[in-house]
Structure formats: C-alpha cells, structure tokens
Amino acid sequence: MGKSKKSKVRGGGGDDLLDSSDADSVGSSSTALSDLSISYATENVNSHEFVLDKYIDALYEKRGSTREAALASLVDAFESFMLGGLVENKYATLLSLFNTSIKKGSTKEACLASRAIGLLSITLGAGSSSHETMVESHPQLSKVLQTWSDASKMISALDCLAVVTFVGATDLAETEVSLKAMWDVIHPKSGSNVGTVRKPRPPVLAAALSAWTFLLTTIGSWRINTDSWKEPIAFLSTLLGAEDRAVRMAAGEALALCFELNLLDISPSEDADDDTGVPGSSKGKLFLDMQALKAKIAGLASNLSAEAGGKGADKKNLSDQRDLFQRILDFVKYGECPEESMKIAGKRDVLRVASWSELIQLNFFKRFLGRGFLKHVQDNGLLQDIFNIKADKAETLSSNDKKIFRSGEEKGRALKLNKDRRLAQQINDAFHIAK
C-alpha cells in the first residue's frame, strides 16, 4: 500500500518525518481505531495495513503529541484485536520506533511505548520474533531502571521487561539477567559513596516485586541452587512489615511462590556431608536458618491475615490483604493450593488455576492486558498454551453443528468480498476528510 505523496522519506538519523497534514490525518485516533474495528469485522487485510501504516507514519512525526496519539491507538488496537498476522512483517520497524520513544520521548510517550512493546511480544507469541523483541528492548528498559527516572516510567519499564522476558527468553541465563535488573530496584546496593542507597517509592517497589515474582514463575523447570536464596527470602520477609499495603501483598505473593518452588527447603540428609566432610557443618546451619525463616514468615502471614482495620482504613484493600495472607498461611501450614476459575465468553471452556505460579501469571496478564485480556485468552495461542485452553472454536460442537459452522464460514467469505470493497472506499474517504 503506497504512502501519501506528502510523506517524507526517513533519513539515516531517523528524524525526517511526515508532513503535518499526515499527522493530522492520524491525530483522530478514535476515528482510525473505528476504521480498524470495521476492517477487522470484515477481515480486510489491505484495510488493516492501511490503518497500521498510518500509525507507523505518525511515529516518525516530530510533534510529541502526535506520536503519543499514535502509540495510544496502537496500544488500543493491540488490546482489542489479534494483530499477529498483520505485524509479523512489521515488528522490527515497530520495535525500533517504540524503543526510540522510550529513549527520547516524554514520560507519557515512554510509558505508552513500553506498554506497546509488551503487547507486541504477547501478540507475536513465543518464537524468534519475540526473542528478538526481548533482546532489542532489554538495554533501553534496563537503562530506565538504572537511572531511576520518573516513577510511572519505571513501572511501565518493569512490566514490559517482565512480559518480553517471559515470552521471549530461551534459557535460564536470559531470565536471570532480567530478574537481577528487577531485584536491583527491589533491594538496591550502595552507590560509590557510603549512604547513597536509593530506596524505591512504594508504587515502584510493589511493581518491581510483582514483575520479579511473575518472571520467577518461569524458573520452576530449571535447576535452582537453594543455597543462594536465603538472603533474598530474608529480605522479602522484612517487606511484610512495610507501611504500604500493596508492598506487603506483593512481597507475600513472592514468598508464597518461593515456598511453592521449594526455595526454603533444605533436607537434613543433604547436610550430613558437605564440602568439609564434617556432618552438619555449614549446610546444617543453613537448614536451621531456613526453618527459622519459615516460622517467621508463617507468623507474619498469620498476623496479616487477621489485621484489624483502623479508622479510615480502606476496607476493600484490607479485605484483599486478609484473604491473600490466609491463602498463604493455608499453603505454608497445610499445603492447600489456591484455586480460581473463570468462564471464557463464547466457549464452554473454563480457565482454571490451581497453584501459586498459575495464579500469579493469571493476575499479571489480567492486569497488563486490561480490557484486552478476554480477547487474548479467546484467540491468542500464547495465552491458550499457558493456561491450557482449547483454541478450536468448532471443537466443542456436535458433528451436525460443525457442518453448519463451516458452511456459515464459506457463505461469510462470499459476502465479505462486497463489504471489503465498500470498506476500503469508506476508510479512504475518512482520511481525506481528516486532511
């Protein structure tokens, strides 16, 4: 699909941009998104590409407000539709533009771009494209975390880093790099001068804990050295006493996952012979330390599950905290796993989770995808694989119903041809009017 003759060719520096009249044509994001919605209803690939190209063109525009509008529309589109087939040949261009927005754009633009990268990764699904997305975006996202910029920018970068690594990482080493970047926000080390330790604000700390925990769910199948987890788990236990409730709850979920992954379990039989050959020496002490830590965490969870609400306390958040820590206490003491289920509209399938790993993944994807979660659960193969959901829409139908279903699809294709022609003209007219 050709671009408007007013479009400029991008130069080597990436700063040659569209003429302002092209920017105005994309400025009305609601109109463009409406056009995309119509085009998806008729499955017109050319119309999809036309609208997407307009968004891409706008990301070259000098005006920050135009880039922000284009990013907002792209985020909306990623949430509302499955764009996999449309972006598979454009993801590298999109990724480059998104990274530039994080690097050079305003805080609002950087937050939108971070979200767009995460949504792009989810749309692409596991594979070489999502791995490249992770590799190319990691340096810029890590820089945001290292420079301790605006809180909202850091939170967006943390969420994005968690998603792109979850989807794109191919081994434990790649995952550990992202986990370390997040842990450096959770528990920062001293700078070059003594006493210059930075402390994250509560919203940033809660987001870092959530992202770190979400990513930690992926290491269950890899070999874990439990000896190295005493210090991190001990620090997480101190956060159960944080003033901010969101921080306490995020730390609680992290600790619940650590219990599920057996990171606190050191068998006494393993301590009988260590490197020194002396029964119960260093590893014997580690076993006792871990047992004491378990008891401490169980006690704190018990207290938080029964915390009384003071005057002016947020009753909803207090109730959520009590429920979470009661679940944690039941798991630690009795091994009872959390269970949740939700129906998927239009299908007979029910999404069920029955472990802390699954529950944490479900809650993170629900929060990150927002209103787009249900759409992606229904049609995105990545989420269907994660949560073991059947993808075939005709799979649950009877033999006769399947014939009717497929016959209807054939009739739909015939009717669509005329609609496509009318749609293409409508979209062209809409953009000419906007100009």
Side-chain angles (χ1 to χ4, degrees):
M1 196 89 180
K3 296 182 181 178
S4 166
K5 61 183 179 182
K6 292 186 179 181
S7 297
K8 296 180 180 178
V9 178
R10 181 175 54 153
D15 292 326
D16 291 335
L17 309 165
L18 291 182
D19 186 272
S20 60
S21 62
D22 267 334
D24 292 339
S25 72
V26 189
S28 178
S29 60
S30 61
T31 300
L33 184 62
S34 176
D35 289 340
L36 185 59
S37 179
I38 295 171
S39 68
Y40 255 86
T42 58
E43 299 180 359
N44 187 327
V45 176
N46 288 334
S47 299
H48 306 169
E49 290 181 341
F50 181 80
V51 177
L52 181 61
D53 285 344
K54 284 292 180 180
Y55 294 153
I56 293 175
D57 285 348
L59 293 177
Y60 290 117
E61 171 57 49
K62 289 181 179 179
R63 238 181 305 174
S65 59
T66 302
R67 297 194 304 270
E68 289 173 6
L71 284 166
S73 294
L74 281 167
V75 165
D76 208 351
F78 275 123
E79 291 175 350
S80 303
F81 313 109
M82 285 309 305
L83 304 178
L86 188 60
V87 301
E88 61 184 358
N89 294 324
K90 300 177 185 287
Y91 78 90
T93 298
L94 287 166
L95 181 58
S96 176
L97 290 167
F98 294 159
N99 277 324
T100 299
S101 288
I102 295 175
K103 183 178 181 179
K104 298 181 179 180
S106 65
T107 295
K108 180 180 178 181
E109 183 178 345
C111 290
L112 284 167
S114 294
R115 180 158 177 74
I117 291 175
L119 291 167
L120 175 63
S121 182
I122 292 173
T123 299
L124 291 170
S128 59
S129 298
S130 59
H131 182 261
E132 182 181 347
T133 300
M134 180 198 71
V135 171
E136 294 297 323
S137 61
H138 196 285
Q140 199 57 49
L141 295 170
S142 295
K143 186 176 181 181
V144 171
L145 302 182
Q146 291 165 0
T147 55
W148 288 72
S149 51
D150 179 89
S152 59
K153 192 173 180 179
M154 288 187 71
I155 291 171
S156 296
L158 285 161
D159 283 350
C160 180
L161 183 59
V163 169
V164 297
T165 307
F166 183 97
V167 180
T170 57
D171 56 40
L172 179 58
E174 291 178 337
T175 301
E176 285 180 329
V177 171
S178 293
L179 285 170
K180 184 182 184 304
M182 296 168 184
W183 188 257
D184 287 343
V185 176
I186 297 169
H187 192 197
K189 303 296 183 181
S190 299
S192 56
N193 299 319
V194 177
T196 60
V197 179
R198 292 171 171 174
K199 291 186 178 180
R201 293 169 56 186
V204 174
L205 179 55
L209 286 164
S210 177
W212 183 84
T213 305
F214 170 70
L215 198 51
L216 193 66
T217 63
T218 66
I219 73 169
S221 60
W222 284 316
R223 185 166 179 260
I224 300 171
N225 180 12
T226 53
D227 292 12
S228 62
W229 284 92
K230 178 186 173 183
E231 182 180 346
I233 293 172
F235 178 74
L236 289 173
S237 70
T238 66
L239 296 180
L240 295 182
E243 293 184 9
D244 186 82
R245 179 168 285 121
V247 171
R248 295 198 295 269
M249 293 176 68
E253 286 191 336
L255 286 167
L257 181 62
C258 289
F259 272 95
E260 184 172 87
L261 295 175
N262 298 318
L263 300 182
L264 291 88
D265 289 349
I266 303 292
S267 173
S269 61
E270 294 176 4
D271 305 327
D273 294 297
D274 61 9
D275 295 341
T276 65
V278 178
S281 56
S282 60
K283 285 193 176 181
K285 184 177 183 304
L286 178 61
F287 170 75
L288 294 175
D289 288 345
M290 285 299 199
Q291 291 300 106
L293 193 53
K294 279 185 177 182
K296 174 187 175 183
I297 293 169
L300 291 170
S302 178
N303 293 338
L304 290 168
S305 70
E307 181 181 348
K311 186 177 181 181
D314 186 326
K315 293 183 179 180
K316 173 64 168 63
N317 288 338
L318 179 60
S319 177
D320 290 343
Q321 175 188 289
R322 289 171 175 167
D323 178 66
L324 171 66
F325 282 98
Q326 185 60 54
R327 284 183 168 195
I328 293 173
L329 189 61
D330 290 341
F331 180 70
V332 172
K333 292 181 69 175
Y334 310 114
E336 294 182 8
C337 295
E339 294 184 3
E340 285 193 12
S341 63
M342 62 178 291
K343 290 184 178 180
I344 302 172
K347 290 189 177 185
R348 298 178 184 178
D349 297 285
V350 176
L351 190 162
R352 290 187 175 87
V353 295
S355 69
W356 282 104
S357 293
E358 293 173 349
L359 180 61
I360 288 165
Q361 290 175 3
L362 174 62
N363 288 338
F364 193 95
F365 275 117
K366 284 172 67 176
R367 180 177 62 79
F368 187 81
L369 288 168
R371 66 183 182 84
F373 175 76
L374 189 57
K375 176 66 176 176
H376 279 265
V377 165
Q378 290 174 329
D379 299 326
N380 188 320
L382 173 70
L383 267 66
Q384 290 169 348
D385 287 343
I386 292 171
F387 298 113
N388 193 28
I389 300 169
K390 296 176 182 178
D392 186 358
K393 292 182 178 180
E395 189 170 345
T396 58
L397 301 177
S398 66
S399 298
N400 186 54
D401 287 340
K402 284 180 181 180
K403 292 178 182 178
I404 297 173
F405 177 84
R406 287 163 183 157
S407 176
E409 285 187 318
E410 293 297 327
K411 292 178 182 178
R413 291 190 187 98
L415 293 172
K416 182 173 68 67
L417 294 175
N418 288 331
K419 291 182 180 179
D420 284 350
R421 296 188 186 98
R422 292 196 299 270
L423 174 67
Q425 185 61 46
Q426 289 172 3
I427 291 180
N428 278 310
D429 291 342
F431 277 108
H432 285 309
I433 291 171
K435 292 179 182 180

